[in-house]
Amino acid sequence: MPPPSDIVKVAIEWPGANAQLIEIDQKKPLSSIIREVCDGWSLSGSEQFALRYADGPQLYITEQSRGEIKNGTILRLAISPTRAARQLLERIQSHGIDARLEALKELAKLSADPTFATEFINMEGIGTLARLVESGTHFGEMLAFTLTAFLELMDHGIVSWDLISLSFIKQIAGYVNQPMVDVSILQRSLAILESIVLNSHSLYQRVAQEITVGQLIAHLQVSNQEIQTYAIALINALFLKAPEDRRQEMASTLAQKHLRSIILNHIIRGNRPIKAEMAHQLYVLQVLTFNLLEERMMTKMDPSDQMQRDIIFELRRIAFDGDSDPGGTEKRKAMYTKDYKMLGFTNHVNPAVDFTQTPPGMLALDNMLYLARLHQDTYIRIVLENSSREDKHECPFGRCAIELTRMLCEILQVGELPNEGCNDYHPMFFTHDRAWEEFFCICIQLLNKTWKEMRATAEDFNKVMQVVREQITRALAMKPTSLDQLKSKLRALSYSEILRLRQSERMSQDDFQSPPIIELRERIQPEILELIKQQRLNRLCEGSCFRKVGNRRRQGAIPVSPTAPPHLITHSPRDVQQNDPSQFFQHKVQFISVVTGKDCPHMKEKSALKQNKEVLELAFSILYDPDEALNFVAPNKYEYCVWIDGLSALLGREMNSDLTRSDLDTLISMEMKLRLLDLENIAIPDAPPPVPKEPSTYNFTYNYG
């Protein structure tokens, strides 16, 4: 018979003694277990001791975390966190250099433990470490351990970063600005400054004053990728937290220092593979750089602003070389209106109105002007090629450029904050100082090419834009390393290739979306749901073992009687062990409702505040009286879903668990594949075939001769 789940078998070590093999009863207080362990080694003062993991991070075990102990775990008896914090604090302040170094080394390791960190911080340990740094008397290994411990303690979020002194910031910044400094000290200094910038609005300005951009860029040219990563992370933090009016100024400074080319040559095209954290920081820098476009993207054009209207006039002049004055106001207006129509603007009389919608606002006009000035031949070719056509297949350049700019802003998420954990950066955007504008120029040529391939008219505008979006997203997913490589990938993704890919993907889909298939799925679904329901009820009849949560914690087997009204039958461990059928039905309860998660009574208690998220997601309660409930925590997600589904079915409710959705999709997919087996490679029409006309007569003759 398997041992009760409340009993965990572990080994406990103590220096200079043989390990103890004991069984920990999780229902007993942790202090009682520690007392028994101390008695085994004849150690007095058990309140001065605690248990820690012997392997890995070696975290302290508390009443809240003891549930994570598994069978076969090796633990270690150690001095309590309070006692350890007090001893280390005294040793750090001692005059012996060797003793202080050993204490700082041990502190750097223990600071990752939240229990120890709380005790050390409560003894003003953070201030002690800060003063050691400010004194400037620590160097080398001793300083590295001091900074490591400081960073680990602050990362717990117990103390606010706003409490950091200016002299501390100046000292840390000095380590970053020094031309020659130990790698470990530089790495931790960069990490501390990044945390200050991200977590303290009031200290951002002080860090920005102390750190020179040129020195940070110099750290990108080293061979250590970790230093490069921390340097880019600090640049990103300063960029992200900078006031809006200073971001453009900072971007100009970084451009003057050739940040992009340094990243391209020393990181992206370096000899080392890019790690996940570096990829994330490059993604963040890419997002922050594109976010500089947000102001222009959200700026409407003022139709009465003559300077802005002159830009549109320059577009017309470059396209049609209209320097000559036709003479007369009316003739000039008529000629301008004709030219603006040929340029593809929606409003031919006053095209400035086309740029009043945000997004893309003035950003679209900026892109068009860049194309016209720096790629003049391409611009003129696109405009004249379409303006000379009279078969209604002309591609309206102005309207397309505006819509394309909006699309590119959506694809690259201009104006949105970076996502944590995302590392979707594109190397090609680091290969050109005007990567955004060049990207637009490539895409507008693609749009013009796709328009001709589709032989589109004005009515097909939205269809063309959908195809172009698909072409661009597919090409970006291939991660081209340069803009030229992007061009070649877009050339390969012609309209016919997009159609082929769509057809191939549609044929490979397991679940077709044609009306007959949808109707078949709807007919099958009730049968599958009933099958799942019967499986859940059968599983409930077999019963499961739960830890009953309440004033009396005891193990019990819980089968359910699938009758109406629904009943729940509980067995105590003694009933199960004695296997006495006469005892099985002594605790019979008719239940009326089921609640889960935060709504459970045992999750609303004060102790529930200490429950972790995993426990909260596995908790459910069975209400059998308005004021009475049986409270449970399932051993795993599977058992939780089975019981919630089964109890919901008994109460006449829908089964909405993740397990039911997964089972439903799997079973329906299998059933439909079986039923459609004879129709493989046969196109299923969206509508039934037409009913033929009735015959003129019903006098049919069959000749069997």
Side-chain angles (χ1 to χ4, degrees):
M1 182 176 180
S5 58
D6 282 334
I7 303 300
V8 182
K9 296 182 179 181
V10 300
I12 301 181
E13 298 177 340
W14 175 253
N18 294 327
Q20 295 186 35
L21 301 177
I22 68 170
E23 292 184 352
I24 293 180
D25 188 349
Q26 295 285 34
K27 294 181 292 184
K28 292 177 62 176
L30 193 58
S31 57
S32 300
I33 297 172
I34 295 174
R35 189 182 307 114
E36 293 176 4
V37 173
C38 290
D39 291 342
W41 283 313
S42 301
L43 298 174
S44 59
S46 62
E47 65 278 359
Q48 297 293 322
F49 293 92
L51 291 176
R52 287 168 54 186
Y53 289 98
D55 301 320
Q58 300 182 6
L59 301 178
Y60 278 100
I61 295 170
T62 63
E63 288 288 355
Q64 291 74 36
S65 63
R66 62 185 296 180
E68 300 173 6
I69 302 175
K70 307 297 182 184
N71 281 318
T73 302
I74 301 176
L75 306 180
R76 178 176 298 162
L77 184 67
I79 58 176
S80 66
T82 304
R83 185 179 171 189
R86 187 181 301 109
Q87 289 182 359
L88 285 175
L89 198 56
E90 293 172 355
R91 291 163 57 191
I92 289 170
Q93 295 171 320
S94 66
H95 297 290
I97 296 179
D98 293 338
R100 189 183 302 176
L101 177 59
E102 289 301 318
L104 288 170
K105 189 180 299 185
E106 187 174 350
L107 176 63
K109 183 188 300 182
L110 282 175
S111 295
D113 188 293
T115 307
F116 170 84
T118 302
E119 298 294 337
F120 189 81
I121 291 173
N122 290 338
M123 297 177 187
E124 302 298 329
I126 290 285
T128 301
L129 294 178
R131 286 190 292 273
L132 291 176
V133 175
E134 293 168 9
S135 67
T137 57
H138 282 52
F139 303 98
E141 194 177 21
M142 188 175 292
L143 178 59
F145 285 124
T146 303
L147 296 178
T148 301
F150 181 87
L151 185 60
E152 290 284 0
L153 291 168
M154 292 299 296
D155 280 347
H156 290 293
I158 301 172
V159 180
S160 172
W161 286 90
D162 290 319
L163 301 177
I164 302 300
S165 66
L166 299 181
S167 59
F168 180 86
I169 294 176
K170 189 169 184 177
Q171 190 69 33
I172 295 296
Y175 300 138
V176 174
N177 293 330
Q178 287 180 13
M180 296 295 293
V181 67
D182 186 80
V183 171
S184 57
I185 295 175
L186 177 59
Q187 177 181 328
R188 288 154 180 78
S189 298
L190 289 169
I192 290 173
L193 291 176
E194 181 199 0
S195 295
I196 293 175
V197 172
L198 292 177
N199 296 288
S200 175
H201 179 73
S202 60
L203 296 177
Y204 160 80
Q205 189 63 34
R206 186 63 180 178
V207 176
Q209 291 174 355
E210 295 291 341
I211 294 297
T212 62
V213 174
Q215 188 60 37
L216 287 178
I217 291 179
H219 291 313
L220 299 178
Q221 303 178 54
V222 300
S223 58
N224 188 320
Q225 189 171 125
E226 290 189 359
I227 296 297
Q228 293 174 327
T229 303
Y230 280 106
I232 293 183
L234 181 53
I235 292 174
N236 288 337
L238 291 169
F239 212 151
L240 182 64
K241 293 298 181 178
E244 292 186 9
D245 57 344
R246 285 205 56 206
R247 289 180 185 172
Q248 290 288 353
E249 178 185 344
M250 185 176 177
S252 300
T253 304
L254 294 174
Q256 293 173 4
K257 298 293 183 179
H258 306 290
L259 173 65
R260 178 199 59 77
S261 60
I262 290 173
I263 290 176
L264 179 66
N265 296 323
H266 290 85
I267 298 176
I268 296 178
R269 293 178 179 174
N271 297 325
R272 299 173 305 281
I274 295 178
K275 298 179 181 178
E277 183 57 31
M278 172 61 82
H280 173 68
Q281 294 302 334
L282 291 175
Y283 154 77
V284 173
L285 181 60
Q286 171 186 290
V287 172
L288 296 177
T289 303
F290 283 146
N291 282 355
L292 295 173
L293 304 169
E294 182 181 12
E295 182 181 356
R296 295 292 286 174
M297 181 182 74
M298 300 307 296
T299 300
K300 296 182 179 180
M301 188 172 187
D302 183 2
S304 62
D305 190 324
Q306 186 59 43
M307 292 183 62
Q308 296 179 359
R309 296 177 65 181
D310 286 344
I311 298 176
I312 299 179
F313 182 80
E314 184 175 358
L315 292 175
R316 188 202 69 81
R317 181 189 61 78
I318 294 174
F320 305 111
D321 195 22
D323 289 330
S324 58
D325 192 341
T329 304
E330 294 300 324
K331 289 184 178 180
R332 189 182 302 112
K333 280 186 177 181
M335 184 186 72
Y336 287 176
T337 300
K338 179 182 177 183
D339 289 348
Y340 291 145
K341 181 178 181 181
M342 295 171 66
L343 277 171
F345 289 111
T346 303
N347 191 312
H348 307 152
V349 178
N350 186 8
V353 177
D354 288 12
F355 300 95
T356 56
Q357 185 177 359
T358 57
M362 291 294 292
L363 184 60
L365 186 59
D366 295 342
N367 288 340
M368 296 166 69
L369 186 62
Y370 181 89
L371 175 68
R373 286 177 174 175
L374 276 82
H375 299 274
Q376 193 171 113
D377 292 341
T378 300
Y379 169 70
I380 294 174
R381 178 179 56 80
I382 292 176
V383 173
L384 296 183
E385 182 180 274
N386 289 284
S387 61
S388 61
R389 301 178 65 176
E390 296 182 359
D391 55 358
K392 296 184 180 181
H393 288 283
E394 65 275 5
C395 176
F397 170 75
R399 183 185 177 189
C400 288
I402 293 172
E403 186 60 32
L404 178 64
T405 302
R406 180 188 294 111
M407 179 197 298
L408 296 182
C409 290
E410 292 175 357
I411 293 174
L412 297 177
Q413 300 178 339
V414 175
E416 298 185 15
L417 291 175
N419 295 324
E420 286 292 333
C422 182
N423 55 7
D424 187 24
Y425 82 98
H426 296 281
M428 68 177 184
F429 290 128
F430 292 89
T431 61
H432 200 285
D433 289 330
R434 304 292 296 272
W436 166 265
E437 290 85 351
E438 290 293 324
F439 183 47
F440 168 83
C441 294
I442 292 171
C443 292
I444 194 68
Q445 296 178 69
L446 168 72
L447 195 157
N448 185 61
K449 172 175 170 287
T450 302
W451 187 284
K452 290 188 292 184
E453 290 175 351
M454 296 178 65
R455 293 196 53 79
T457 61
E459 290 77 10
D460 302 319
F461 183 83
N462 292 331
K463 293 181 181 179
V464 175
M465 297 308 297
Q466 290 175 2
V467 174
V468 171
R469 175 186 283 268
E470 187 172 347
Q471 289 171 316
I472 294 172
T473 52
R474 286 181 182 273
L476 289 177
M478 301 177 192
K479 290 289 190 286
T481 57
S482 65
L483 293 171
D484 288 336
Q485 195 175 104
L486 173 68
K487 292 179 184 178
S488 64
K489 292 186 181 300
L490 289 174
R491 280 195 296 269
L493 288 169
S494 62
Y495 175 56
S496 58
E497 177 65 13
I498 291 294
L499 291 179
R500 189 192 68 78
L501 290 172
R502 285 178 176 178
Q503 180 67 18
S504 175
E505 291 170 359
R506 190 160 45 242
M507 292 299 294
S508 64
Q509 288 179 351
D510 293 332
D511 188 10
F512 298 101
Q513 297 301 315
S514 61
I517 302 301
I518 294 175
E519 182 181 350
L520 177 61
R521 184 185 180 93
E522 291 174 352
R523 289 188 180 184
I524 293 174
Q525 184 164 322
E527 303 175 14
I528 303 299
L529 280 174
E530 184 63 27
L531 179 63
I532 295 174
K533 176 181 176 181
Q534 291 301 320
Q535 188 274 339
R536 300 291 192 266
L537 294 178
N538 293 337
R539 183 67 181 79
L540 263 59
C541 291
E542 295 176 6
S544 297
C545 290
F546 291 98
R547 180 183 304 161
K548 179 183 174 185
V549 180
N551 294 330
R552 295 179 299 165
R553 300 169 68 88
R554 60 190 178 92
Q555 189 80 4
I558 315 293
V560 167
S561 173
T563 57
H567 291 84
L568 175 133
I569 307 150
T570 66
H571 305 320
S572 68
R574 182 177 303 174
D575 297 336
V576 177
Q577 292 171 4
Q578 293 177 348
N579 196 22
D580 184 359
S582 64
Q583 301 293 326
F584 278 14
F585 299 94
Q586 285 191 355
H587 310 287
K588 188 174 182 180
V589 178
Q590 178 178 335
F591 58 95
I592 57 176
S593 183
V594 178
V595 293
T596 60
K598 295 180 180 179
D599 298 328
C600 298
H602 57 310
M603 293 292 109
K604 294 180 180 179
E605 299 171 359
K606 292 182 179 179
S607 61
L609 297 175
K610 301 178 182 178
Q611 299 283 358
N612 56 36
K613 184 180 179 182
E614 181 181 357
V615 173
L616 195 64
E617 292 177 348
L618 299 178
F620 67 96
S621 297
I622 297 175
L623 308 181
Y624 58 90
D625 190 83
D627 299 323
E628 297 290 339
L630 291 174
N631 303 318
F632 303 95
V633 175
N636 50 56
K637 190 68 175 178
Y638 175 81
E639 288 291 340
Y640 171 83
C641 292
V642 166
W643 278 81
I644 293 301
D645 286 341
L647 296 173
S648 298
L650 286 174
L651 293 171
R653 301 176 184 172
E654 292 185 5
M655 300 180 294
N656 294 321
S657 74
D658 295 339
L659 182 62
T660 292
R661 286 192 288 270
S662 175
D663 289 349
L664 183 64
D665 290 341
T666 301
L667 293 174
I668 285 183
S669 177
M670 292 173 60
E671 183 67 19
M672 291 184 66
K673 286 179 180 179
L674 289 173
R675 297 197 183 192
L676 297 174
L677 205 57
D678 294 337
L679 299 177
E680 189 173 358
N681 296 326
I682 296 178
I684 301 176
D686 291 341
V691 178
K693 294 181 180 180
E694 293 186 5
S696 57
T697 65
Y698 289 89
N699 300 324
F700 299 107
T701 302
Y702 296 94
N703 185 5
Y704 297 101

